[in-house]
Amino acid sequence: MKFRSRIKVFEHQYLKIGEEGFEQTHFDRLVYYNELHENKYFTAGHRKIKFTNYVGVLQVGNLTIEILPKADNSSDYDKWTHALLTMLFICRKISVRSLTEAYVKIRSASILDIIFESFLEEVEYLISTGLVKGYRFKSSNKTTLKGRILFNQHLMKNIVHREQFFIRYESYDYNIVWNKILKKALVIMLGILHNATLRSRTEKLLWYFDDIDSRRINEKTFLNLRYNRKTEGYRKSIKLAELIILSYSPDIQFGRNNVLAVLFDMNSLFEEYVYRILKKEEQVYHKINLKIEAQLSKFFWNKRKIRPDIILEYGEVDTRKVIIDTKWKMLTDYTPSDDDLRQMYAYNLYFDCEKSVLLYPMTNLVNQEPVYYEPALAVAKEHACQLIFADLFDNSGNARKSIAVDLLRSVLG
């Protein structure tokens, strides 16, 4: 087997052909994959690619590329690997028994292996509790009559074999969409896994899915899923399976450089992470009736909607509102863009807020006091915008224990 390379880069960083095992064949395959996805993951230049705001892991053939977030001036790969794992765990993108255990493993395993192990653990749990059976309709030739005869097919297939009936009937077995999805993800993993332990576990699990068909699983399959009491236990494993299946692109021409790209928009991940850590503190502030909601929207023009990231409502008597809009970018000074300030201005008006907050990751800047917008004739109420910088992680990439409380204190004043 060809030597397996592993590269770590930061978002918005370049990777050139010839660096750390990145070859022309990898470059060509990734460029093709990126074109299929509207060139959103990176931009291609002459013998190099520049990553965008997507973080996670790319596996192309024998090469694994980990793309890490970065919100400081250091080049500490370990810190930001741990920070990414923390965000993925809090946002429920991965399901591991222990983040500490995951941190230890990441030194010898890739982020992709952690995702695979999360999925295997979920499937092993389902096997131990029992896979779900379900009803489905089957059509085939039978010597006994049950269900209903499909006359057109019956006449075509059984002119000679009059002892048979082509029928459609109901069957109760394991060959249902939930198990098909799990098998599809396991099959993909078996074809690309390099870790011998994970590969062995995958092979053992596939034995339980031997009679299950997994051919036609695509994005539409996941959109049509509806969980019920019996299938609720599948939710975590299905989310991980969806990540694996929809991220996979086989190399049809040569079969050597299959691509698996498990990538996350860092802007969306930062927004969700902030929302989840704040939401956990909601009950602590029950005395002021704190309520935290994400992505509430309002119509503002011709059926178009305006939607802030996070809205905080609080107050023992009169309800007050604060909007938080997360921005995963580094400010070099205390001057946000005009577009961001206009956006906050509109949020204040449409959601009747006294203040909105532009929330950035902390670099070398400190929180600012709210600055009020200049009064306008059509707007009687004063309203402001505040810049806040969140120091999310310590030097090891662990989440700061007091970060949510510190943020709420800054936001609520």
Side-chain angles (χ1 to χ4, degrees):
M1 179 181 291
K2 192 174 181 180
F3 176 71
R4 182 191 178 197
S5 300
R6 182 179 169 197
I7 302 173
K8 286 179 181 282
V9 297
F10 289 114
E11 54 181 332
H12 307 295
Q13 184 176 324
Y14 285 98
L15 179 61
K16 299 177 182 179
I17 294 175
E19 290 182 339
E20 303 183 69
F22 185 55
E23 301 173 357
Q24 182 72 48
T25 55
H26 300 135
F27 174 85
D28 294 340
R29 186 68 179 91
L30 286 180
V31 168
Y32 176 69
Y33 179 85
N34 199 40
E35 288 173 350
L36 294 177
H37 294 84
E38 301 176 341
N39 295 304
K40 64 182 180 180
Y41 298 131
F42 53 81
T43 55
H46 176 62
R47 295 175 58 82
K48 64 184 178 182
I49 58 178
K50 182 183 180 182
F51 296 100
T52 60
N53 56 294
Y54 280 83
V55 299
V57 60
L58 278 165
Q59 183 169 303
V60 51
N62 66 314
L63 179 67
T64 300
I65 305 171
E66 293 182 3
I67 310 160
L68 305 175
K70 184 181 179 184
D72 59 21
N73 296 318
S74 74
S75 296
D76 190 338
Y77 289 119
D78 284 345
K79 171 184 175 177
W80 289 106
T81 301
H82 293 176
L84 178 57
L85 275 177
T86 298
M87 285 189 279
L88 294 177
F89 177 76
I90 296 297
C91 296
R92 301 173 187 174
K93 308 297 184 186
I94 59 175
S95 175
V96 292
R97 287 171 293 184
S98 165
L99 268 181
T100 303
E101 186 179 326
Y103 290 154
V104 172
K105 288 182 178 179
I106 206 67
R107 294 186 179 277
S108 58
S110 72
I111 295 173
L112 190 58
D113 288 337
I114 299 295
I115 293 170
F116 286 157
E117 182 165 18
S118 298
F119 176 64
L120 292 176
E121 286 180 1
E122 292 299 327
V123 177
E124 285 165 349
Y125 170 76
L126 291 174
I127 295 293
S128 68
T129 57
L131 294 176
V132 169
K133 286 184 176 182
Y135 288 100
R136 64 189 180 92
F137 285 101
K138 296 175 67 175
S139 301
S140 63
N141 263 325
K142 295 288 184 181
T143 55
T144 56
L145 181 59
K146 62 178 180 177
R148 65 186 183 89
I149 298 177
L150 302 179
F151 283 100
N152 289 340
Q153 293 94 325
H154 175 70
L155 293 174
M156 290 173 58
K157 295 176 179 293
N158 295 323
I159 292 177
V160 177
H161 301 284
R162 296 191 176 185
E163 75 283 1
Q164 294 184 347
F165 306 93
F166 196 89
I167 57 176
R168 181 175 173 80
Y169 59 96
E170 200 171 43
S171 175
Y172 184 70
D173 56 27
Y174 293 109
N175 199 17
I176 57 175
V177 66
W178 310 93
N179 297 325
K180 290 180 180 183
I181 290 171
L182 300 184
K183 181 175 182 179
K184 181 76 171 183
L186 290 169
V187 169
I188 289 173
M189 285 172 55
L190 192 63
I192 62 177
L193 270 170
H194 297 278
N195 184 297
T197 302
L198 296 182
R199 186 177 180 85
S200 175
R201 287 168 64 185
T202 303
E203 290 173 340
K204 289 177 182 177
L205 286 175
L206 274 170
W207 183 85
Y208 293 93
F209 296 85
D210 195 42
D211 295 325
I212 294 172
D213 171 29
S214 65
R215 286 173 295 178
R216 294 179 293 275
I217 303 296
N218 52 37
E219 189 173 1
K220 188 176 179 180
T221 307
F222 295 99
L223 292 174
N224 291 334
L225 286 180
R226 297 294 180 270
Y227 290 91
N228 56 35
R229 180 180 57 81
K230 289 174 62 179
T231 57
E232 183 60 33
Y234 276 66
R235 190 178 290 274
K236 288 183 180 180
S237 59
I238 292 296
K239 290 301 293 182
L240 289 165
E242 180 179 6
L243 197 63
I244 294 166
I245 293 168
L246 299 187
S247 301
Y248 179 65
S249 175
D251 185 349
I252 303 298
Q253 186 174 4
F254 299 108
R256 293 194 301 268
N257 286 319
N258 297 325
V259 174
L260 187 72
V262 182
L263 299 170
F264 306 90
D265 183 338
M266 194 57 217
N267 298 309
S268 299
L269 189 61
F270 179 47
E271 174 190 331
E272 185 178 352
Y273 180 72
V274 170
Y275 167 71
R276 288 188 180 275
I277 63 173
L278 293 182
K279 188 72 174 177
K280 287 179 66 176
E281 301 296 324
E282 199 175 51
Q283 292 302 314
V284 177
Y285 291 81
H286 67 277
K287 289 185 178 180
I288 61 170
N289 300 315
L290 179 63
K291 183 181 179 183
I292 302 174
E293 299 292 340
Q295 298 190 341
L296 295 177
S297 60
K298 284 189 175 183
F299 289 103
F300 75 100
W301 187 81
N302 195 26
K303 296 184 179 180
R304 296 187 184 181
K305 292 182 177 181
I306 189 170
R307 188 188 65 186
D309 294 342
I310 303 168
I311 299 180
L312 282 69
E313 292 187 12
Y314 65 100
E316 297 178 65
V317 180
D318 297 325
T319 299
R320 303 173 69 180
K321 294 180 184 177
V322 176
I323 279 176
I324 299 177
D325 216 58
T326 58
K327 303 294 181 184
W328 184 260
K329 53 187 175 184
M330 290 187 286
L331 286 189
T332 56
D333 53 28
Y334 297 103
T335 309
S337 70
D338 288 349
D339 286 343
D340 288 344
L341 289 171
R342 293 188 187 104
Q343 185 182 34
M344 296 302 102
Y345 187 95
Y347 286 160
N348 285 347
L349 296 188
Y350 275 90
F351 290 88
D352 190 26
C353 296
E354 295 179 8
K355 181 180 77 172
S356 54
V357 170
L358 285 169
L359 180 66
Y360 301 90
M362 180 175 282
T363 50
N364 58 342
L365 304 179
V366 296
N367 295 345
Q368 298 293 286
E369 292 298 317
V371 177
Y372 283 86
Y373 288 98
E374 293 298 325
L377 292 176
V379 182
K381 185 177 180 179
E382 282 191 318
H383 59 105
C385 180
Q386 182 179 12
L387 306 187
I388 292 179
F389 302 89
D391 193 7
L392 298 172
F393 307 102
D394 63 22
N395 291 333
S396 297
N398 299 307
R400 291 190 181 276
K401 292 182 179 179
S402 64
I403 180 60
V405 173
D406 292 343
L407 278 178
L408 285 172
R409 284 174 179 166
S410 300
V411 170
L412 301 177

